[in-house]
Amino acid sequence: MPRKPNYDRDDLIARARDLFWRRGWAGTSLKDLESELKMKPGSFYAAFGSKDALFELALQKYASDGAARLNALAEEFGPLSALQRLPEMVIDNDQAPARACMLSKTLLELQSHAHPLAKKADEKLQLMEAQFAQLFMRAQEIGDVAQDRDPKSLARKYQSDLLGLRVSAERDGVDAKSIAADIAEGLARL
Amino acid sequence: MPRKPNYDRDDLIARARDLFWRRGWAGTSLKDLESELKMKPGSFYAAFGSKDALFELALQKYASDGAARLNALAEEFGPLSALQRLPEMVIDNDQAPARACMLSKTLLELQSHAHPLAKKADEKLQLMEAQFAQLFMRAQEIGDVAQDRDPKSLARKYQSDLLGLRVSAERDGVDAKSIAADIAEGLARL
DNA sequence: GGCTTTATTGAGTGATCACTCAAGTATATA
DNA sequence: TATATACTTGAGTGATCACTCAATAAAGCC
């Protein structure tokens, strides 16, 4: 009986994610979204409810796609090698809307307003850190990382390094590749 | 002949800096500023010209005060020790409006809009990096850093580490002190 | 083809945005 | 004290914000 929507919901979320990722939360207006998604206000609100609700869907997609990509990398190259390859990958992707991490951008923008989306971003950063820890643990099990290292500490520092790299890569004239290489090299000495 | 303003301009800039630092550019409205600075719109615009102009003054103060603090630290403890102490200092300051660096917050928020303030923030990050390089060089001269190290590379990586630390420190439940300790420890092995 | 159900349209909502300006007030010099 | 020169006040500007809703169009089921 009902009429079907004439759009691909997941594709809309991906496009919204790219817009939010690049421009941030306050920097992305509904006009921007309507223009990018080719939706009138009525359709937009029928489909997503609010700007914040769509932002949350975008965050979720960002996080789960990222986690899947890292898992695939670990599957192909092994845990430590995946962690070594990741830094250069994240700053080398020319299709990405920004070098910086969408989660950290969201956290920095909205944390001070106690905005629920800041908490969501924080939670996803925590999940990401747990994934790193898992990979360090597996690397340790197969002897790629010394036994006296703590996977959780390594994950915490690794994520911090990655966030710093991705902020630096947002700047002009910074040789981010050599920072990425430094991070990868550090992992080789574990 | 003229009437003198009944405020301390430098104090106003410091208060504005704290507001901008915590809430960001879009997150700080004129109403917020008027309330914090206790100025009516007319006085505000007579004194500063625009929100952007005041933000630039705030950025300038943030950068120059930070540079002066690091120089004082190096004067007291020597260059390498100053660089080792800095990470814990920046995340341990309870009076600061935020853990994250105001320059990186500004860069991440405004870069995608090609906003002039993003460029200003980038320039000040570059100056900061140059100051780090200078300190690494002096540390090298007095034998605290091995001769085969490149001060500029060290500075680039050190700044990236600091930026990552300060993003991580913005999160809930992250043991930022141990990240800071990792950074300081890394400098001891140069 | 009728009917029900949902998607789409787009003008319009009040609120807030950065900012203006004419009027009033205070102060230092003459 | 008179005057010139600011500084201060606060209502008001048009623009843009996220969002609403009544009207219309389209699709699946009988």
Side-chain angles (χ1 to χ4, degrees):
Chain A
M1 314 134 171
R3 179 180 172 188
K4 277 194 296 189
N6 62 0
Y7 51 72
D8 175 351
R9 185 176 171 86
D10 200 62
D11 177 59
L12 289 185
I13 293 173
R15 292 227 296 280
R17 175 206 56 202
D18 286 359
L19 214 51
F20 282 132
W21 185 358
R22 181 164 356 105
R23 297 189 202 271
W25 180 82
T28 307
S29 72
L30 248 100
K31 269 200 173 171
D32 294 333
L33 287 165
E34 288 161 22
S35 157
E36 173 68 28
L37 306 185
K38 290 173 179 59
M39 292 178 97
K40 311 293 170 191
S43 289
F44 179 91
Y45 282 90
F48 300 116
S50 70
K51 176 184 172 182
D52 281 5
L54 177 56
F55 195 104
E56 187 175 344
L57 291 171
L59 264 191
Q60 180 58 50
K61 183 168 183 55
Y62 176 89
S64 57
D65 284 5
R69 202 175 323 117
L70 178 55
N71 272 336
L73 211 62
E75 199 68 29
E76 186 174 359
F77 299 104
L80 188 64
S81 182
L83 291 167
Q84 286 179 303
R85 284 161 190 264
L86 188 61
E88 187 170 335
M89 273 186 57
V90 292
I91 58 165
D92 216 36
N93 185 357
D94 286 333
Q95 291 159 309
R99 310 293 195 208
C101 167
M102 184 184 178
L103 301 178
S104 64
K105 286 184 77 168
T106 302
L107 185 79
L108 292 187
E109 182 181 3
L110 301 177
Q111 173 93 311
S112 68
H113 296 72
H115 195 297
L117 287 169
K119 201 177 174 187
K120 295 275 175 192
D122 199 339
E123 287 167 7
K124 290 173 198 325
L125 281 168
Q126 192 140 329
L127 288 176
M128 191 189 292
E129 192 180 321
Q131 190 188 10
F132 293 153
Q134 187 69 25
L135 290 175
F136 275 117
M137 215 167 70
R138 285 179 43 203
Q140 202 170 38
E141 283 166 2
I142 60 179
D144 283 353
V145 166
Q147 290 299 323
D148 63 341
R149 297 285 190 166
D150 173 28
K152 288 191 178 179
S153 300
L154 291 173
R156 186 175 50 222
K157 180 59 161 60
Y158 177 76
Q159 181 169 60
S160 182
D161 287 352
L162 215 50
L163 293 174
L165 165 67
R166 298 184 71 171
V167 172
S168 300
E170 200 80 25
R171 294 177 52 197
D172 289 330
V174 170
D175 184 2
K177 280 206 178 188
S178 75
I179 301 176
D182 281 350
I183 295 172
E185 197 199 330
L187 297 187
R189 292 188 263 95
L190 295 179
Chain B
M1 315 131 167
R3 180 180 171 187
K4 274 195 295 187
N6 62 0
Y7 52 73
D8 174 352
R9 183 176 173 85
D10 199 63
D11 177 60
L12 290 185
I13 293 173
R15 291 227 297 279
R17 175 206 58 203
D18 286 359
L19 215 50
F20 282 131
W21 184 358
R22 184 174 32 223
R23 297 190 200 272
W25 181 82
T28 307
S29 72
L30 254 296
K31 268 200 172 171
D32 294 333
L33 288 164
E34 287 161 23
S35 157
E36 173 68 28
L37 306 185
K38 290 173 178 60
M39 293 177 96
K40 310 293 170 192
S43 288
F44 179 92
Y45 282 91
F48 300 115
S50 71
K51 178 183 172 182
D52 281 6
L54 177 55
F55 195 103
E56 186 174 343
L57 291 172
L59 263 191
Q60 179 58 51
K61 182 167 182 58
Y62 176 91
S64 57
D65 284 5
R69 202 172 327 115
L70 179 55
N71 271 337
L73 211 61
E75 198 69 29
E76 187 175 359
F77 299 104
L80 188 64
S81 182
L83 291 167
Q84 286 180 301
R85 285 162 188 263
L86 188 61
E88 186 170 337
M89 273 186 57
V90 291
I91 59 165
D92 214 37
N93 185 357
D94 286 332
Q95 292 160 307
R99 311 291 196 209
C101 167
M102 184 184 178
L103 302 179
S104 64
K105 287 185 76 168
T106 302
L107 186 78
L108 292 187
E109 181 181 4
L110 301 178
Q111 174 93 310
S112 67
H113 296 72
H115 195 297
L117 287 169
K119 200 176 174 187
K120 295 275 175 191
D122 198 340
E123 287 167 6
K124 292 176 197 320
L125 282 168
Q126 191 138 332
L127 288 177
M128 191 190 292
E129 192 180 322
Q131 191 187 9
F132 293 153
Q134 188 69 26
L135 290 176
F136 277 116
M137 212 167 71
R138 283 178 43 202
Q140 203 171 38
E141 283 166 2
I142 61 179
D144 284 352
V145 165
Q147 290 300 321
D148 62 342
R149 297 284 192 167
D150 173 30
K152 288 191 179 178
S153 301
L154 291 174
R156 186 174 50 222
K157 180 60 164 59
Y158 177 77
Q159 182 169 59
S160 182
D161 287 352
L162 258 189
L163 293 174
L165 165 68
R166 298 184 72 171
V167 172
S168 301
E170 201 80 25
R171 294 177 52 199
D172 289 330
V174 170
D175 184 2
K177 279 205 178 187
S178 76
I179 301 176
D182 281 350
I183 295 173
E185 197 199 330
L187 296 187
R189 291 188 263 96
L190 295 178

